[in-house]
Amino acid sequence: MQRLSALDASFLRVETPSAHMHVGWLSELELAPGATALHAAELMRRVEARLHLAPRFRQRVVTPAIGEAVWKDDPGFAIDRHVEIVEKRIPGVAGVRRICDRFLSEQLDRSRPLWRLLILPRVGEGRAAVLGKVHHAMVDGIAAVELGMLLFDGAVDAAPPEAVEWRAEHASGPLRLAVDAAADSALDQFRAARRVASMGLAPRRTARVADTMRRAALSIAEDALRPAPPSYMNVPISARRTLVTQPIPFARLDSLKRALDGRRGAVKLNDVVLAVASGALRRYAALRDERPEPIRVMVPVSVRASEDAPADGNRITFAFVELPLSEPEPLRRVALIRGETAELKDSGRIAGSEALLRGMDALPGFMKERAARLAASPRMYNLTISNVPGPRVPLYAVGAKVASIYPVIPISDGHALSIGVLSYAGSVHFAAYADPRALPDAGELATLFRASIQELESAVGTSRPQAARRGAPEGSTRSPARRAAR
């Protein structure tokens, strides 16, 4: 039995019938030459044989009478309750997207381990697809990518893994769960007291940590007291979801980064991603006849390098960055974004925010509830943009090559849109995850991502005129994106 951290549990607290807190992915596969379908049963067998590498996939959430929820082995676990195979042939991309949207619109069943796979062995000619979703209480975005190794092989001819025998641990009764929860709480308080005592023996470190915590607390307080700007993206949402995808060659973003490095100081790839998103969202606002105004985005930040990071679950903290959508000049937008991210890094607010999140474990339950709902509210941010580094080498699924992986970043109530970005095997995969009832024109974002990149390339002189004319939405007065570009 292991208790959920306050951060992991917060994703359960903010979940509602209209806001499903699962991360996920859509993978498109190229079948091996001569193959007519993906060997779905063998893929499911390989997944089951690797589950011992990720014990959470056989555990469910159990809530004791007192204390935080815990992970417990599910004695009724059966992989066929988590993997669905659609045997019929899917005619093409449009059919996959309809199935994908329906799959992502369904909430995970909390009475079971919190994950599901959907396998489409036949998509058009020579293609297949695999969709997955895992509750955010189990994993963050990077861990979700790492867990993809349960599904995928590192070589086209990888040998099948050997199955490992598994038996569920004996289930504890309600009284035992409550006693264990109380003991865990006492142990956490002891650890917190020990950390405080050890800091007292190192005055310089204590002062440094205290200053970092103070600045982080002041920053978060400022964010809470100064609400995020009002936005058409922050409206009541339904349970329906749609995933809008656009692949971009990694070389194009890398060329942009190197070109911007010379004229705007040290520019990170994440700055380029945020700049691309800013350009697309600026155009999207115009497409909707909205005035492009600055917005506040929440950016998950990995803390895996931290010595205090948990061994599993969510190993992230959160940062807030303002995107200057009102700025018409693309290079000026890059400079403003770079200034924001550099200040964020230099200020120590990320380390302080991590420490504050760890400190949430000591809060009473009702305060954790209020803190989680405030942190997930439109008051704090307008949308999430998550940039997840994926594997640079190709992956395979029982001989089929994984052609693309599009990430799914969950949206909480009051947020109609999130943007996930995942790099994989020479491409950067942009994915907008939206409520199609709140944002019925969200499908235009694929075109607008391309247009935003072309705008940046033109500004730094790295684009080829012919390619820009062929791909840019500004080239046709009939295109909705033409109006968005103005």
Side-chain angles (χ1 to χ4, degrees):
M1 182 184 75
Q2 183 175 348
R3 189 161 57 93
L4 278 72
S5 71
L7 178 57
D8 292 347
S10 71
F11 294 113
L12 295 173
R13 288 189 166 97
V14 302
E15 186 169 49
T16 70
S18 58
H20 309 153
M21 299 306 293
H22 49 250
V23 297
W25 67 89
L26 163 63
S27 301
E28 298 168 329
L29 282 62
E30 298 173 356
L31 298 179
T36 59
L38 182 72
H39 197 326
E42 173 61 16
L43 178 60
M44 186 165 70
R45 194 195 72 76
R46 293 189 182 204
V47 170
E48 185 171 28
R50 292 171 174 146
L51 286 180
H52 66 284
L53 301 174
R56 287 282 181 273
F57 275 50
R58 285 193 177 108
Q59 295 178 330
R60 60 189 179 93
V61 174
V62 177
T63 304
I66 60 172
E68 200 63 88
V70 298
W71 296 109
K72 291 285 294 180
D73 285 352
D74 179 10
F77 176 83
I79 194 167
D80 56 6
R81 300 175 73 186
H82 295 269
V83 181
E84 179 184 354
I85 301 172
V86 179
E87 296 291 358
K88 69 177 182 179
R89 180 179 296 278
I90 310 302
V93 173
V96 172
R97 296 311 164 95
R98 284 193 295 271
I99 293 172
C100 175
D101 291 353
R102 184 166 62 248
F103 176 74
L104 294 174
S105 299
E106 298 169 351
Q107 188 172 2
L108 287 164
D109 182 354
R110 290 201 190 179
S111 68
R112 303 177 182 180
L114 296 173
W115 65 280
R116 277 191 64 200
L117 294 179
L118 182 64
I119 303 175
L120 310 179
R122 301 174 182 85
V123 176
E125 294 297 327
R127 309 281 289 190
V130 178
L131 298 89
K133 57 185 178 183
V134 186
H135 203 285
H136 212 337
M138 287 175 61
V139 296
D140 55 39
I142 293 176
V145 172
E146 294 170 349
L147 288 170
M149 296 311 294
L150 288 176
L151 188 64
F152 301 131
D153 302 314
V156 65
D157 56 353
E162 293 293 329
V164 176
E165 185 179 359
W166 175 83
R167 292 181 181 178
E169 289 187 359
H170 178 69
S172 302
L175 179 59
R176 183 67 201 176
L177 282 174
V179 170
D180 288 344
D184 281 346
S185 297
L187 182 60
D188 282 346
Q189 291 175 10
F190 170 75
R191 288 170 176 164
R194 189 174 61 181
R195 283 197 297 269
V196 171
S198 66
M199 286 169 56
L201 299 176
R204 290 184 180 178
R205 180 174 182 271
T206 301
R208 184 172 66 253
V209 171
D211 183 60
T212 298
M213 289 278 287
R214 179 185 61 81
R215 283 183 289 168
L218 289 175
S219 174
I220 292 173
E222 181 184 353
D223 288 334
L225 293 173
R226 180 176 57 86
S231 171
Y232 63 88
M233 293 180 281
N234 300 124
V235 293
I237 60 173
S238 71
R240 287 189 57 192
R241 296 292 180 269
T242 188
L243 191 67
V244 181
T245 61
Q246 180 60 53
I248 302 293
F250 181 86
R252 291 180 66 183
L253 292 188
D254 190 52
S255 293
L256 272 174
K257 175 189 175 301
R258 286 186 279 107
L260 292 165
D261 255 342
R263 63 184 73 198
R264 299 286 170 181
V267 174
K268 306 295 185 183
L269 186 62
N270 196 54
D271 298 329
V272 178
V273 166
L274 291 174
V276 170
S278 295
L281 291 171
R282 173 179 165 80
R283 290 166 180 249
Y284 186 52
L287 171 66
R288 295 177 51 87
D289 293 323
E290 301 277 354
R291 184 181 178 87
E293 298 285 1
I295 59 172
R296 184 190 297 167
V297 300
M298 182 175 71
V299 180
V301 179
S302 172
V303 294
R304 279 160 172 72
S306 169
E307 60 183 19
D308 294 322
D312 49 22
N314 284 271
R315 290 177 284 171
I316 54 174
T317 188
F318 301 101
F320 298 99
V321 177
E322 184 174 286
L323 296 189
L325 269 57
S326 58
E327 173 54 56
E329 205 277 306
L331 295 184
R332 176 64 180 157
R333 286 201 298 272
V334 174
L336 292 171
I337 290 169
R338 177 57 190 140
E340 283 265 321
T341 58
E343 191 277 332
L344 186 66
K345 180 180 179 181
D346 295 340
S347 68
R349 280 158 46 197
I350 292 175
S353 298
E354 178 196 358
L356 287 174
L357 283 175
R358 291 199 308 271
M360 282 179 59
D361 281 314
L363 294 176
F366 77 94
M367 291 188 66
K368 290 179 184 177
E369 183 87 22
R370 293 180 63 179
R373 297 201 175 278
L374 172 61
S377 72
R379 181 182 181 88
M380 294 298 293
Y381 64 97
N382 300 111
L383 82 158
T384 301
I385 299 180
S386 181
N387 181 20
V388 180
R392 295 292 182 90
V393 297
L395 298 175
Y396 300 87
V398 286
K401 182 180 179 181
V402 179
S404 59
I405 307 174
Y406 294 102
V408 173
I409 307 302
I411 52 180
S412 56
D413 273 329
H415 299 86
L417 176 68
S418 68
I419 295 175
V421 183
L422 187 145
S423 55
Y424 163 66
S427 293
V428 179
H429 297 87
F430 284 78
Y433 187 54
D435 175 0
R437 290 182 178 173
L439 301 176
D441 45 14
E444 294 289 350
L445 282 164
T447 301
L448 301 181
F449 285 134
R450 296 197 304 269
S452 179
I453 291 172
Q454 289 156 2
E455 179 185 40
L456 284 167
E457 289 174 332
S458 296
V460 299
T462 63
S463 63
R464 293 177 295 175
Q466 184 178 1
R469 283 198 303 270
R470 185 169 59 248
E474 298 96 309
S476 170
T477 56
R478 293 191 296 271
S479 170
R482 169 65 176 171
R483 188 155 54 99
R486 294 177 178 174

